[in-house]
Amino acid sequence: MNKLLDYFKQNQEKIFEKKIHAYGWKSEYDTIITSSLTKYLFEDLDIIENIAPRTNENRDGRIRDKYYITVHDTGDAFSNHTAKFWSEAVKSEGWEYGKYECSFQYVTGNDGIYHNIPDDEIAYHAGDSTMYDYALYDSGVSGDNIYPHISISSDGYFEIDGRKSKILAPRAKKVKDGLVLYDKIATTDMINSQGILCKLIDGKYYLGETYFNTTYELIANRGGNNNGIGIESCINEGSDIYLTWQRTAKLVAYLLDVNKLDFDAVKQHHYFSGKNCPQTIRMSNMWDHFMELVKFEYQIRQFRKQGYSLKLICDDNRVCDNGRVKTLGDKPIKFIIESEYKGEVEKLELSI
Ligand SMILES: [Zn+2]
């Protein structure tokens, strides 16, 4: 069996159903998502170019190096607020509620993947301002743990695996109408749930640029707007949210590949501001699953670059051509993945 088929065989999992809640700013709903035949979505990445005019106020135009892929959801459950709708809101700088000042590179939905702002430009989606770029500062701490625990000492310095760094954490300070509501040393529980940027380079730890976000009252990271490629994902009522997640994962895998970034570069909007976004993925505890979709898509992308082809063959009417499962039912679903490599065609038969 060729390597691509073996990868599918080794990583095949049961289809699951899960009740989730979709969070919109004005309306919310419960829905049941069903996973797909595989973590790979059997369709090509199709990006619809709908770039905002250079004269738009929400198109910054400044070029930056990209270190992050920033994942959002629209937080908007209106059934007609599709990817095209949001793409047009960016392009026309307006929607039914007035001026639309935000922008993002991509928006994904059941109706496609729309591209709004060139990848290398700044866009306005992460809530961390555009005043600070990605930066790394020598912490003065060395070690060998790639994912150390970050805390804040009682006198306000970042600690890395319990060792005090020479970098002061931002103070927890909130000012309203010129009045200081509080101004105190921040504590570890004020660090956003995705943590802060910490890189281990040649045995030394470097920390990123952080700040205290007064809206969400959490310590977050800079560089979201400037150094991230922002992706909005639709959660509109009546849509297949799992399909949107798989399309988003395919897009993320592509962006990681072409920008030569690793999986740690994929961050939630939350990482840059403390906002509960992408809220529907976060609240349904599906972020780790989403990252599994990204990794699977990335791996299949590598196989395809090496010359492996793949095709799904399934004539069960519960399954779409792209491997999406419409209804689960009781009987197992049989399908075949066909792959050609160096002129040799092989098939993998699966039943789940
Ligand atoms: Zn967001």
Side-chain angles (χ1 to χ4, degrees):
M1 189 185 306
N2 79 31
K3 281 185 188 169
L4 177 142
L5 293 177
D6 193 51
Y7 185 78
F8 272 99
K9 194 178 174 189
Q10 300 302 329
N11 292 286
Q12 188 55 44
E13 284 174 19
K14 274 204 161 73
I15 299 168
F16 65 85
E17 282 181 326
K18 185 179 163 84
K19 187 178 168 185
I20 63 163
H21 190 73
Y23 294 84
W25 66 282
K26 204 143 187 173
S27 59
E28 309 180 354
Y29 64 97
D30 286 323
T31 187
I32 292 167
I33 54 164
T34 308
S35 63
S36 291
L37 288 184
T38 75
K39 286 180 185 157
Y40 176 78
L41 184 66
F42 286 86
E43 62 180 33
D44 288 334
L45 181 70
D46 182 16
I47 295 170
I48 302 159
E49 296 294 333
N50 196 33
I51 300 294
R54 184 60 195 87
T55 48
N56 270 21
E57 282 177 38
N58 63 0
R59 185 168 164 195
D60 188 289
R62 286 174 289 170
I63 306 292
R64 288 292 184 280
D65 289 336
K66 297 296 177 172
Y67 295 92
Y68 297 117
I69 311 296
T70 308
V71 178
H72 303 256
D73 72 39
T74 56
D76 177 8
F78 289 133
S79 59
N80 59 332
H81 287 189
T82 59
K84 184 171 189 210
F85 172 90
W86 281 110
S87 179
E88 288 298 325
V90 171
K91 195 175 181 183
S92 67
E93 294 185 283
W95 63 325
E96 65 250 57
Y97 297 94
K99 194 168 161 75
Y100 192 70
E101 294 170 337
C102 299
S103 55
F104 33 80
Q105 272 78 8
Y106 296 91
V107 52
T108 61
N110 282 194
D111 54 327
I113 298 172
Y114 285 79
H115 191 197
N116 273 94
I117 301 287
D119 295 4
D120 58 356
E121 289 186 14
I122 292 173
Y124 307 146
H125 53 87
D128 68 319
S129 89
T130 59
M131 290 189 296
Y132 299 86
D133 281 315
Y134 180 100
L136 288 172
Y137 301 104
D138 185 354
S139 71
V141 177
S142 48
D144 56 11
N145 179 9
I146 300 172
Y147 300 109
H149 176 68
I150 308 288
S151 51
I152 298 173
S153 65
S154 56
D155 57 349
Y157 287 83
F158 281 122
E159 298 167 323
I160 301 168
D161 275 341
R163 278 164 295 162
K164 190 171 162 182
S165 76
K166 59 185 184 188
I167 298 174
L168 256 179
R171 281 183 75 81
K173 182 179 180 182
K174 189 160 179 165
V175 181
K176 199 181 176 191
D177 303 328
L179 201 74
V180 178
L181 298 181
Y182 56 80
D183 183 3
K184 59 191 178 189
I185 290 169
T187 49
T188 303
D189 61 352
M190 291 177 184
I191 297 174
N192 81 86
S193 71
Q194 280 209 302
I196 64 161
L197 176 62
C198 178
K199 288 272 183 204
L200 179 61
I201 303 166
D202 297 332
K204 286 164 76 178
Y205 288 112
Y206 294 81
L207 297 181
E209 187 80 48
T210 56
Y211 72 109
F212 182 76
N213 185 297
T214 55
T215 305
Y216 304 105
E217 301 180 316
L218 290 172
I219 291 174
N221 298 272
R222 298 285 191 187
N225 284 335
N226 287 14
N227 309 104
I229 298 175
I231 304 174
E232 283 286 354
S233 55
C234 288
I235 54 139
N236 51 313
E237 193 164 7
S239 71
D240 175 352
I241 289 183
Y242 197 86
L243 171 62
T244 298
W245 290 351
Q246 280 199 288
R247 284 212 177 121
T248 308
K250 194 181 280 287
L251 174 64
V252 170
Y254 155 77
L255 291 171
L256 289 176
D257 202 8
V258 299
N259 290 283
K260 298 184 170 55
L261 297 170
D262 60 34
F263 295 117
D264 287 338
V266 186
K267 299 295 186 195
Q268 302 171 3
H269 178 189
H270 176 81
Y271 183 74
F272 300 105
S273 67
K275 186 180 180 182
N276 191 4
C277 177
Q279 191 172 4
T280 298
I281 288 184
R282 284 171 57 83
M283 300 305 280
S284 57
N285 291 318
M286 290 298 279
W287 179 256
D288 289 347
H289 181 77
F290 173 74
M291 285 306 299
E292 287 173 20
L293 297 177
V294 170
K295 287 170 186 170
F296 205 104
E297 287 283 352
Y298 187 89
Q299 188 55 53
I300 299 306
R301 204 181 150 79
Q302 304 315 310
F303 281 123
R304 291 185 70 175
K305 280 162 71 176
Q306 290 161 27
Y308 293 84
S309 74
L310 79 167
K311 190 169 115 186
L312 173 68
I313 302 163
C314 180
D315 54 17
D316 193 309
N317 59 17
R318 290 169 291 176
V319 180
C320 304
D321 291 346
N322 59 8
R324 288 290 302 122
V325 176
K326 288 180 271 189
T327 48
L328 202 46
D330 302 325
K331 284 191 206 148
I333 299 174
K334 291 191 170 75
F335 63 102
I336 294 166
I337 300 170
E338 189 182 279
S339 175
E340 184 185 332
Y341 181 62
K342 292 190 171 168
E344 197 174 337
V345 180
E346 291 178 87
K347 286 177 182 179
L348 171 66
E349 286 184 39
L350 292 162
S351 176
I352 50 173

